[in-house]
Amino acid sequence: MIQAEELVGGEWAEWYRLTPVQRWLESEKLWQTYLALGGSLDPEPDTQSPFFDARTPRPCPAHGWAGVRVLRRGRV
Amino acid sequence: MGGQACVFYGAAEFSRDTDFAILAEASNLARLRKALAGLRAKPIAVPPFEIKYLRQGHAIHFRCQHPEALRMRVDVMSKMRGVDSFAKLWERRTTLQIPGGEKCDLLSLPDLIQAKKTQRDKDWPMIRRLVEASFFENRRKPSPAQIRFWLAEFRTPQLLIEIARKNPVVAKKLVAKRPLLRLASAGEAGKLEKELAAEELTERENDRRYWLPLKKTLDKLRHGG
């Protein structure tokens, strides 16, 4: 019998073990963090979607920057 | 029916829009207009918010201007390729209560998976995760319906082999609908992986074809061509 850890690794196995409601709540926490960090609710352009139109101008955040940006990047 | 439903059922999508499957009837659209007004949501792009476009299978896109949902995208659809009528989706829905007592209705897992069989790369790993999560949650005491669902939808060769070998009679019955189950029953992991990839390509191509006339309509609406 294949175990979830063998197939998808520990992190995913742990996610699978949560109940649906626990997953929902965990995702909400992630949302709070994302918004607290200044993340925007504007979705990324989905170039593979049939609704995508490359010619449509996309809105920019009012301050002109992406919602979340890298301030310091460690070396590889 | 989108990212939030995927999270609930076991995949993990950080989706910033909210997708709704709705009943395209005048009285229901009136209720939707009222709810969208509460969010100060304005239609964006094409098509316009009209019942005929929903019935044709288009999505209508909105952007919210309410401070508590600023810039959030809301997409509504009523008809999706390969997915049953709204009445059937509603009958099979999952209802959950979120903290605060509000209730949310989600597409059932099999319906969500059907809706995710699109031409987009990102939907396919999602389908795999959703079926795996269902399997690991229910494998100890699966119902006959769950076994049939896994045999019909698994995208993970190892699990497909395991479940086909444990349920040879059911697997044999489903071969006509999903020929690659023959390879799963025989334990042919390498060939099975190739066939799963081919199955995905076929679905993606079917989705592209399905959208061709709809995209023509969208182009006409955008550019008046």
Side-chain angles (χ1 to χ4, degrees):
Chain A
M1 197 189 256
I2 302 164
Q3 298 306 312
E5 279 81 358
E6 295 167 43
L7 194 70
V8 293
E11 216 171 328
W12 271 106
E14 205 178 319
W15 182 249
Y16 287 167
R17 269 195 295 272
L18 297 178
T19 65
V21 173
Q22 282 171 329
R23 283 194 287 262
W24 187 281
L25 295 175
E26 284 303 311
S27 152
E28 231 171 55
K29 281 187 213 164
L30 187 62
W31 266 107
Q32 295 308 329
T33 309
Y34 175 75
L35 294 173
L37 287 169
S40 159
L41 290 178
D42 264 324
E44 301 273 325
D46 182 356
T47 56
Q48 287 190 322
S49 163
F51 319 132
F52 178 73
D53 177 21
R55 286 169 285 190
T56 300
R58 255 153 270 286
C60 296
H63 48 61
W65 302 330
V68 176
R69 59 197 192 281
V70 177
L71 296 178
R72 179 179 181 276
R73 191 186 292 275
R75 289 185 186 170
V76 176
Chain B
M1 68 175 188
Q4 287 79 3
C6 287
V7 165
F8 179 83
Y9 286 120
E13 186 173 19
F14 192 65
S15 167
R16 278 174 280 178
D17 59 359
T18 306
D19 303 312
F20 292 99
I22 61 153
L23 175 66
E25 274 185 11
S27 59
N28 198 41
L29 290 206
R31 291 214 301 266
L32 178 62
R33 275 181 211 281
K34 212 171 161 186
L36 289 167
L39 288 166
R40 295 187 212 161
K42 304 270 183 245
I44 50 168
V46 290
F49 185 19
E50 288 173 25
I51 203 162
K52 70 171 180 180
Y53 293 111
L54 284 166
R55 286 184 177 159
Q56 282 170 14
H58 287 284
I60 316 285
H61 315 277
F62 300 87
R63 182 170 279 116
C64 302
Q65 298 301 333
H66 190 286
E68 285 181 26
L70 195 60
R71 308 200 69 76
M72 191 180 83
R73 261 272 296 275
V74 172
D75 292 346
V76 299
M77 287 189 92
S78 186
K79 184 182 160 192
M80 290 158 277
R81 185 185 73 88
V83 177
D84 267 331
S85 66
F86 184 86
K88 286 185 181 164
L89 300 183
W90 187 251
E91 223 170 82
R92 294 193 289 252
R93 75 196 185 276
T94 297
T95 302
L96 71 133
Q97 192 164 33
I98 54 175
E102 281 167 85
K103 284 183 182 168
C104 295
D105 293 305
L106 305 177
L107 287 187
S108 72
L109 178 58
D111 291 326
L112 178 64
I113 283 173
Q114 277 315 118
K116 286 274 167 201
K117 289 182 181 173
T118 72
Q119 55 195 284
R120 305 184 306 175
D121 291 339
K122 69 174 193 173
D123 286 324
W124 291 89
M126 195 72 68
I127 295 174
R128 179 178 172 138
R129 297 290 188 202
L130 288 167
V131 192
E132 283 175 358
S134 156
F135 175 73
F136 286 116
E137 192 183 335
N138 300 293
R139 77 192 299 187
R140 283 182 201 284
K141 224 178 167 186
S143 67
Q146 280 165 336
I147 291 169
R148 286 195 301 275
F149 165 65
W150 296 334
L151 285 167
E153 301 296 354
F154 261 138
R155 310 221 58 80
T156 316
Q158 300 95 312
L159 298 182
L160 196 47
I161 289 171
E162 181 180 318
I163 206 74
R165 288 191 149 176
K166 274 192 185 158
N167 300 277
V169 179
V170 192
K172 205 175 168 187
K173 274 187 189 165
L174 291 173
V175 162
K177 276 191 180 167
R178 202 181 191 196
L180 58 74
L181 287 177
R182 211 185 296 276
L183 298 169
S185 300
E188 303 240 31
K191 286 183 187 170
L192 180 59
E193 201 160 340
K194 280 184 192 158
E195 283 305 308
L196 282 165
E199 192 183 63
E200 178 186 324
L201 278 179
T202 305
E203 282 290 341
R204 291 172 69 145
E205 186 51 35
N206 290 345
D207 191 56
R208 262 188 288 271
R209 284 198 191 137
Y210 170 87
W211 273 97
L212 283 176
L214 293 167
K215 281 175 85 168
K216 274 188 188 164
T217 306
L218 291 177
D219 275 343
K220 273 188 192 166
L221 288 165
R222 278 179 194 128
H223 312 294

